[in-house]
Amino acid sequence: MEYGKLFLCATPIGNLEDITMRVLRTLKEADLIAAEDTRNSLHLLNHFGIRTPMTSYHEYNKIEKAYTLISKMKDGKNVALITDAGTPGISDPGEELVRMCYEAGIEVTSLPGACACVTALTLSGLPTRRFCFEGFLPQDKKEKRQILEELRTQTRTVVLYEAPHRLVRTLKDLYESLGDRRAVICRELTKKHETAFRTTLAEAVAYYEETEPKGECVIVLEGRSRSELQREEQKRWEEMDILSHVQMYESQGMDRKDAMKCAAKDRGLSKREVYAMLLDTETER
């Protein structure tokens, strides 16, 4: 028997008119719809008169249920995967099912449509040529600190998701770790009360401490400028004496010649200048 197929079906993030004709046809023709929240998805299916059987597939059953769905697809059934809103696999357990389908030799296809990340990015007015998507920051404090440290030097526009009840805490974490920078807080995307609040992290913290945020939020942050990072890096090297700078590279396994070359590049100096500075330092000692 020929295997069935997994269809990743993007659903509206607010406005029901944003669903595609291809997704509607696929949802009607599929043998089974796997939904993140069947109660939430039932409203969507009822609105479009779709009567396809539905089952739950969410964070807490993503592995066990994946085996069940794969078994059905091996029996020739076509499965359509939908999330609560937007594109499956983006900040939801869909990625696990996709991975396991490929391992099982089952064909996967993605039907494009609404995605809050791209919608907010294009709405923000911040640079769109290069961007990174972080989804929801982890709740684990250590892991969150690591990611925030990585974002501190990120030069691309950064897009994050956040629930309204955690928005203030997240904005504070971003401000404390990344410093103040331009930000756009997008809420209620594609809905009647859609807003794109162009602000800064400091101003956003102050505003939402006084105004309770409502609706799912997308935070779009400007990246660090390369010139600013270079100045910051240059200042760090200037605060380090030349011997310590060279020894830093030697501790990484470099010989003295290569270590001097790297230190010279960091400081915008010639190797001859670094060598002279090392001689002066050793003479002083």
Side-chain angles (χ1 to χ4, degrees):
M1 181 180 292
E2 192 173 317
Y3 284 180
K5 192 172 178 178
L6 176 66
F7 295 83
L8 307 177
C9 298
T11 53
I13 57 177
N15 193 316
L16 293 180
E17 294 180 357
D18 290 334
I19 199 164
T20 70
M21 295 176 66
R22 184 181 174 205
V23 167
L24 288 175
R25 176 176 56 79
T26 300
L27 293 178
K28 290 176 180 178
E29 295 177 355
D31 297 294
L32 180 67
I33 295 173
E36 186 175 10
D37 186 330
T38 55
R39 294 167 300 178
N40 181 68
S41 296
L42 188 60
H43 297 298
L44 174 73
L45 300 185
N46 285 342
H47 179 83
F48 290 106
I50 298 171
R51 300 289 180 259
T52 305
M54 185 166 47
T55 188
S56 64
Y57 179 76
H58 49 71
E59 182 65 29
Y60 302 104
N61 72 354
K62 62 184 180 182
I63 302 299
E64 178 186 357
K65 194 58 170 286
Y67 285 115
T68 301
L69 295 173
I70 287 171
S71 177
K72 291 183 181 296
M73 285 182 274
K74 283 186 174 181
D75 287 339
K77 304 295 185 183
N78 288 322
V79 175
L81 179 67
I82 59 176
T83 183
D84 279 351
T87 301
I90 302 297
S91 289
D92 81 358
E95 62 180 315
E96 292 288 349
L97 180 57
V98 172
R99 177 183 60 80
M100 293 173 69
C101 278
Y102 281 127
E103 291 173 354
I106 291 170
E107 187 178 353
V108 179
T109 190
S110 182
L111 283 58
C115 180
C117 167
V118 174
T119 303
L121 176 66
T122 56
L123 185 63
S124 70
L126 293 175
T128 60
R129 188 179 71 84
R130 299 173 64 250
F131 71 95
C132 67
F133 174 64
E134 275 297 332
F136 292 92
L137 288 176
Q139 294 303 299
D140 179 79
K141 292 183 179 179
K142 182 178 179 181
E143 188 180 357
K144 183 193 290 187
R145 281 197 302 271
Q146 291 173 339
I147 290 178
L148 289 172
E149 179 59 27
E150 292 173 6
L151 292 179
R152 191 182 68 80
T153 56
Q154 180 58 253
T155 59
R156 295 173 293 177
T157 300
V158 180
V159 185
L160 307 101
Y161 289 164
E162 194 49 278
H165 65 280
R166 291 196 301 264
L167 180 63
V168 172
R169 179 67 267 168
T170 295
L171 290 173
K172 286 182 177 179
D173 287 340
L174 290 169
Y175 175 66
E176 291 166 3
S177 301
L178 279 59
D180 202 13
R181 61 177 69 183
R182 287 192 299 165
V184 182
I185 315 299
C186 298
R187 296 174 47 257
E188 300 291 278
L189 288 171
T190 77
K191 300 178 183 178
K192 182 179 179 180
H193 299 294
E194 172 183 278
T195 59
F197 179 29
R198 293 174 56 81
T199 180
T200 66
L201 283 174
E203 291 172 352
V205 169
Y207 177 80
Y208 284 113
E209 282 184 328
E210 298 295 326
T211 306
E212 181 183 2
K214 296 179 181 179
E216 296 300 311
C217 306
V218 184
I219 305 168
V220 187
L221 295 176
E222 71 172 342
R224 292 283 298 277
S225 71
R226 292 184 182 278
S227 59
E228 183 182 3
L229 283 175
Q230 289 170 349
R231 287 194 299 270
E232 186 177 285
E233 189 77 355
Q234 189 66 33
K235 182 179 179 182
R236 185 164 78 92
W237 297 134
E238 290 172 356
E239 292 173 350
M240 179 185 292
D241 67 76
I242 189 63
L243 182 59
S244 297
H245 196 162
V246 171
Q247 288 175 338
M248 179 190 75
Y249 285 115
E250 288 178 326
S251 68
Q252 297 172 14
M254 293 185 185
D255 58 27
R256 175 55 67 97
K257 183 178 179 181
D258 287 337
M260 287 171 56
K261 183 178 179 180
C262 288
K265 182 178 179 181
D266 289 339
R267 292 171 177 260
L269 302 173
S270 67
K271 286 187 292 182
R272 185 186 297 275
E273 289 174 306
V274 169
Y275 180 69
M277 292 169 69
L278 282 174
L279 284 180
D280 289 342
T281 301
E282 291 173 351
T283 300
E284 291 173 2
R285 293 188 178 187

